[in-house]
Amino acid sequence: MNTDDPDAPAIDVSGLECGYDSQVLLQDLTFQVRRGEIFFIIGGSGCGKSTLLRHLVGLNPPTAGTVKFYGECFNTAPAERQREMLKRIGVLYQGGALWSSLNLLENVMLPLEEYTPLNPAERQELACMKLSQVGLAGYDAYYPSEISGGMKKRAGLARALALDPAIVFFDEPSAGLDPLTSRKLDELILNLRDLLGMTCVVVSHELASIFAIADRVVMLDKQARGIIAEGDPRVLVKESRDVRVREFLGRGEDAQAPAPQNQPSP
């Protein structure tokens, strides 16, 4: 991906149609994600948020439309080029998706073993650094069964960061977490964005997170089978002419707070 082009958006989605087999769930999706922003895909249950995410990261091919990363079309690229492009993308899956038989260090080392020519000592050193970046220094030898849900999310994020991706996708990162742990994860995402300059795409319906760290959002609607709003959620909740948007975001007005300061998480 040509991440050196400052004029190209990180992600450019045009006329995208998403679905499974012959069933179309989302249609005519068109939006851009700017370089370095924290961009949320929001909406109620069953509106297609995770479906869209799967199409954006290449797990499912779209039935129509295009997805471009930094100006280069992903879904029409040859398979070998797609593989190269995917090296610049990290994904934090909803449950962390850690291998239970591997400790945290080994989990983070997996993509380094697959995609880099680094020797074992170099892979271990880099994996330790990634764990440290997410606040898990000293937990290298722990297994997923030995840590909390919030720590599993952080370990999954460390693995997503292993190849220094330009874009990181987050699938419901706060799911199953208590409010305090969720807030600390929000702060971590914000701090890593500021530190590493990466672009973050977050699938979530957690209003506290949306109002705390989102730069912009697109809101999906099940009945419309597409996007019904795009913009700053703090503006949309007050100024959107669509009652569905105001009602969805309005549930979180009490959750609105200034974005976390650029301080390391405890």
Side-chain angles (χ1 to χ4, degrees), residues 84-149:
E84 289 300 313
M85 294 170 73
L86 288 174
K87 292 180 184 179
R88 302 305 312 279
I89 293 173
V91 183
L92 173 58
Y93 296 97
Q94 186 172 145
L98 300 172
W99 291 92
S100 60
S101 59
L102 303 179
N103 62 33
L104 300 191
L105 183 66
E106 293 166 336
N107 266 283
V108 178
M109 288 175 63
L110 277 176
L112 298 173
E113 294 172 2
E114 178 71 19
Y115 293 109
T116 75
L118 300 176
N119 63 45
E122 291 170 332
R123 293 197 298 265
Q124 181 171 332
E125 181 180 0
L126 184 54
C128 285
M129 184 183 73
K130 296 303 178 182
L131 286 169
S132 179
Q133 281 183 336
V134 301
L136 290 178
Y139 287 89
D140 313 16
Y142 281 68
Y143 285 82
S145 62
E146 299 174 321
I147 59 177
S148 68

Side-chain angles (χ1 to χ4, degrees), residues 14 75 80 105 206 217 247:
S14 180
N75 53 296
E80 184 63 27
L105 183 66
E206 299 289 342
V217 306
E247 287 181 350

Side-chain angles (χ1 to χ4, degrees), residues 31-109:
F31 62 90
Q32 293 183 341
V33 181
R34 301 164 187 157
R35 294 167 59 103
E37 77 174 339
I38 299 178
F39 186 89
F40 272 63
I41 300 170
I42 68 173
S45 298
C47 69
K49 299 187 298 294
S50 293
T51 295
L52 174 55
L53 179 65
R54 291 179 65 85
H55 285 73
L56 292 178
V57 301
L59 291 176
N60 293 99
T63 52
T66 59
V67 177
K68 294 181 180 180
F69 297 117
Y70 298 96
E72 183 175 0
C73 188
F74 174 79
N75 53 296
T76 61
E80 184 63 27
R81 181 55 187 156
Q82 287 185 344
R83 179 177 168 85
E84 289 300 313
M85 294 170 73
L86 288 174
K87 292 180 184 179
R88 302 305 312 279
I89 293 173
V91 183
L92 173 58
Y93 296 97
Q94 186 172 145
L98 300 172
W99 291 92
S100 60
S101 59
L102 303 179
N103 62 33
L104 300 191
L105 183 66
E106 293 166 336
N107 266 283
V108 178
M109 288 175 63

Side-chain angles (χ1 to χ4, degrees), residues 219-235:
M219 181 173 172
L220 305 180
D221 180 75
K222 184 176 182 179
Q223 299 302 318
R225 295 198 298 177
I227 296 171
I228 59 172
E230 177 178 352
D232 185 330
R234 303 159 197 82
V235 175

Side-chain angles (χ1 to χ4, degrees), residues 12-16 27-32 218 227 230:
D12 188 354
V13 176
S14 180
L16 194 67
Q27 56 190 6
D28 196 26
L29 303 182
T30 298
F31 62 90
Q32 293 183 341
V218 288
I227 296 171
E230 177 178 352

